Amino acid sequence: MFGGIAVRAKSPRKLPLLFSLLIFSMGWSACVCWKERPQRPGRDIVLREASGAETTEFQLHDSLLVDLDGLAPRAGYDLEVVNAEGEAMVRNRLSTDARGRIPQTVLWYSIGSRPCWQGTQTAEALPYTRVMDASLAGRDYTLRISQDGALVRSAKFRVADTMLRPTLFAADSRGCPKTGFLIGEEDVWVMGRNFPPGSLLRLWAVPEDSEWQDGETLRDRTSQYGYELPPLVQLGPGETHFKRLLWPKGLTSIGSYDIVAEVVDYPFGAYRDAPKAKAQDVIASRSFSGFTVQRRPGVAEPLEVDIAGAVSSPFAFRSTFLPTENVFVGVDPTLQPGFVGMSAGVYIVASKTDAQWTVDKTLADVTGVVETITVNGICGNCWKTLAWSAPLTVGRYDVVLDFNNDGLYTPGTDLIDSLDPVGFTVADIRVDQISFNYGGSGAITLYDHVAGANVAAPEYVSAGHAIKPAAWVMGGSHSVRVRFTATSAISSAGVWAEGGLGGLASSGSPVTVTFAGGVGEANFTVASPPATVAKTLFDWDWKYRISATTLEMGRTGQHLLYTVLATPQAPQATPWVGTLDVATQLAQGETTAAGATRKVWSDFYLNAGGLYDTVGGAPRYTGGTTQPFNLTLWLANYKTASIGVVNCYDMSKSVVVFANALGASTEHSFTSPFGLLNLIQAIGRGWTNNPFYDGGCSGGPVVNGDTSRCGFGNHAFTLLAGQIYDGSGGRVDVDGDPDNLPAGTPRDLDGNDSWLSSYRTRVIDDFPASSPGTPTVYSFTVY
């Protein structure tokens, strides 16, 4: 994201330059945010650039924001930017709120910028002239506001001939402006222009901030160099522009971020000191965030997408609105690239089910004004449109964006929020927060290794549909703590929820919620918590009763709950979300540690894409007995079913990590020396009694006889209550001639053998006699 930057005069020393932009996210979607500023008396039209400064002269890369006042309340107006020849550069139809205002809106985003979707799709770097239309500079323009074809007001402004202020924007590898990136799939690049020649720059990707405060600490989130150190750019003596990889795709984290460029004027190396943002040194665009990182969305049916949102700095998608709130809408081009450059009519209509839409596709807008919205191809977070101003009518509604402008909902062409359930609900009470992990809840604290922090309650926040996972031990009694917001007329209400986990309370026995200052809070016991290991996705449909009247409050979810066998054990005493996501799916439905561990063992041995290292038995994810296990790398590779070449240390520790996250008490066991082998089926390989046949042990995988073949110098496996789960050896032949082909009687080493009773004699070829060591348990950590 990028926009204009105004430099404030200071002393002659070089200025730290901060370019911050603000956005909202809906479960990690990129959208809009802005901060409403009061209109000055008598100011009907105020033009601003993206930093918030009022101006009538813009430069290329600036964004034109407009505040309008003194118009008819709850009415529609046509806004148009035309050049001196009368050619329209921008058109939009917007509506006013109940006070006759059109709140601050991005009308012309990043003047002159060319979106990546235009022109060639080459992967090569594009020259600046390809991503910026310089013909727009040095010209005068007019903003025209009309109603029913009649000109109501106008304002003139100019785009300057030359670019003087520094600009900074996120881009793809070609240099095309881009603000939305998919996690793990796209690198984040940064482009800068008009910086001091020869300067040394620090580039920061920091969590977005709507108001930078004096002395606020800058914390780089890219983690490329450790210690929160940002990338550096050294400009040449005559160089003022740069392009730099800001955040490699393999390290990105979901969220909204600001981009900071700081000119440093002290010796190289001194940047290790903790930097502070100083308000008087900040160049900020407080209208958008620099960029967002989000997940690729799942498949919707058909063309369903979250559209409705609320503005409360920041802007956020919502599924429930109070009657006193305004409803805004928008489309994220990152998630809906097929609509880039297209305009649509905005309809808010009484909700219909999928079946009802099939019978009647008529769009009957309930607001009185059908606005228009244009999907910008660059900006994933500056497209809000006021669609329904307060007061709202209690009820259930869908939002339809009519792209073919025929006044009908056309599946496959138009966007809807959404088919089933409703797009949004207007109610006198709204669920604002749900906490699974609070004092006395018995919930398990989770660690988000992507964010580098524990998952904190509340796990659900209505603003933006922010949803985080939670975890409980299976069975027992569990509850959630819910915070509500209500209109001033509500003092108390009976509340319950239907749906997932058997619901919360019931219509016959609702929880009484008392409101003070419009806020109420209560604990709700879950009717039917899962009684097995599970990964559960669910919704709650909330209802409330005042006197004898039952009303809809809207839906929350999808909530994500992991249930485990017992309290998680080291090295996952605080389990990683990524670990539980895998382990609960593998052991879904299990109720015992042995059953869950066997499911984990089976998947890792058979389905994870592992190949035993037949060269030398070297580990990939860990070192010796007590060395930490690289869980981050394992999770990344496991997602692609390609954990690669591994050894027994890797497999033993991996089973321990995932089983113990479920509350099993498995152990990493190491035995040295070990001995020659009967036929085993090493992970990803065929039968062998000569496991290092690619590393100097002659004779191939199977050698007939007890000479000229190799065994295991040492070996590691997982223990649970003395039973062995061998994740690398996996399977052994137990027929009458177990050290030679054919392997007539395969036996899985999946927890049905102990060391002394059967494992030792089945796996180790004791002819000639061997003297293996005693299995020893070792602890380890993960990273």
Side-chain angles (χ1 to χ4, degrees), residues 614-760:
T614 56
V615 175
R620 180 178 187 184
Y621 297 91
T622 186
T625 53
T626 61
Q627 294 299 303
F629 179 79
N630 190 339
L631 180 54
T632 303
L633 180 61
W634 178 280
L635 287 170
N637 292 336
Y638 178 82
K639 288 180 181 179
T640 63
S642 58
I643 60 173
V645 178
V646 293
N647 82 340
C648 60
Y649 307 168
D650 296 320
M651 299 310 299
S652 171
K653 291 182 180 181
S654 67
V655 174
V656 168
V657 167
F658 287 80
N660 283 14
L662 296 174
S665 296
T666 63
E667 300 169 306
H668 168 59
S669 179
F670 175 83
T671 305
S672 180
F674 199 74
L676 295 177
L677 304 176
N678 287 320
L679 288 176
I680 64 167
Q681 198 165 19
I683 182 170
R685 308 292 187 181
W687 290 102
T688 182
N689 63 3
N690 186 36
F692 307 117
Y693 52 85
D694 288 326
C697 294
S698 61
V702 178
V703 175
N704 188 11
D706 297 325
T707 60
S708 302
R709 65 183 172 102
C710 300
F712 285 156
N714 56 69
H715 191 46
F717 41 73
T718 303
L719 285 177
L720 174 62
Q723 300 300 107
I724 294 172
Y725 299 77
D726 192 333
S728 62
R731 189 170 289 146
V732 65
D733 180 24
V734 294
D735 64 11
D737 186 15
D739 67 348
N740 202 5
L741 292 173
T745 310
R747 178 183 177 84
D748 286 346
L749 299 171
D750 62 348
N752 289 312
D753 299 278
S754 67
W755 173 255
L756 291 178
S757 66
S758 52
Y759 178 90
R760 180 183 183 280

Side-chain angles (χ1 to χ4, degrees), residues 210-338:
S210 59
E211 288 290 341
W212 286 94
Q213 303 296 325
D214 191 22
E216 188 169 343
T217 301
L218 299 177
R219 293 186 174 90
D220 180 67
R221 289 302 310 275
T222 70
S223 302
Q224 295 181 70
Y225 308 110
Y227 306 104
E228 295 186 332
L229 302 179
L232 289 169
V233 173
Q234 177 67 67
L235 299 181
E239 189 179 14
T240 61
H241 307 334
F242 66 87
K243 171 188 171 187
R244 176 67 186 266
L245 177 63
L246 180 68
W247 205 349
K249 61 186 178 184
L251 297 176
T252 54
S253 299
I254 293 171
S256 301
Y257 302 94
D258 290 331
I259 304 175
V260 178
E262 181 187 5
V263 179
V264 296
D265 55 0
Y266 35 81
F268 184 85
Y271 67 88
R272 291 180 181 272
D273 295 338
K276 305 282 186 179
K278 296 182 179 179
Q280 67 269 27
D281 296 336
V282 168
I283 299 169
S285 169
R286 293 172 179 153
S287 301
F288 332 105
S289 70
F291 63 94
T292 62
V293 179
Q294 54 201 318
R295 287 190 179 93
R296 182 179 293 279
V299 177
E301 288 292 338
L303 297 180
E304 292 181 82
V305 61
D306 289 290
I307 299 174
V311 177
S312 57
S313 188
F315 182 88
F317 285 121
R318 270 227 167 96
S319 61
T320 303
F321 293 80
L322 300 179
T324 54
E325 296 177 316
N326 293 334
V327 179
F328 293 77
V329 301
V331 179
D332 182 354
T334 303
L335 302 182
Q336 297 293 333

Side-chain angles (χ1 to χ4, degrees), residues 238 391 455:
V455 175

Side-chain angles (χ1 to χ4, degrees), residues 75 78 97 195 306 344 346 396 420 426 461 475 483 505 531 566 571 590 655 674 696 704-705 731 733:
D78 295 303
D97 62 16
F195 283 83
D306 289 290
V346 179
R396 307 169 79 189
D420 295 309
V426 178
V461 179
R483 177 175 292 182
E590 292 294 331
V655 174
F674 199 74
N704 188 11
R731 189 170 289 146
D733 180 24

Side-chain angles (χ1 to χ4, degrees), residues 93 104 168 210 284 501 624 642 707 761:
R93 181 170 176 79
Q104 187 178 109
L168 191 71
S210 59
L501 310 184
S642 58
T707 60
T761 58

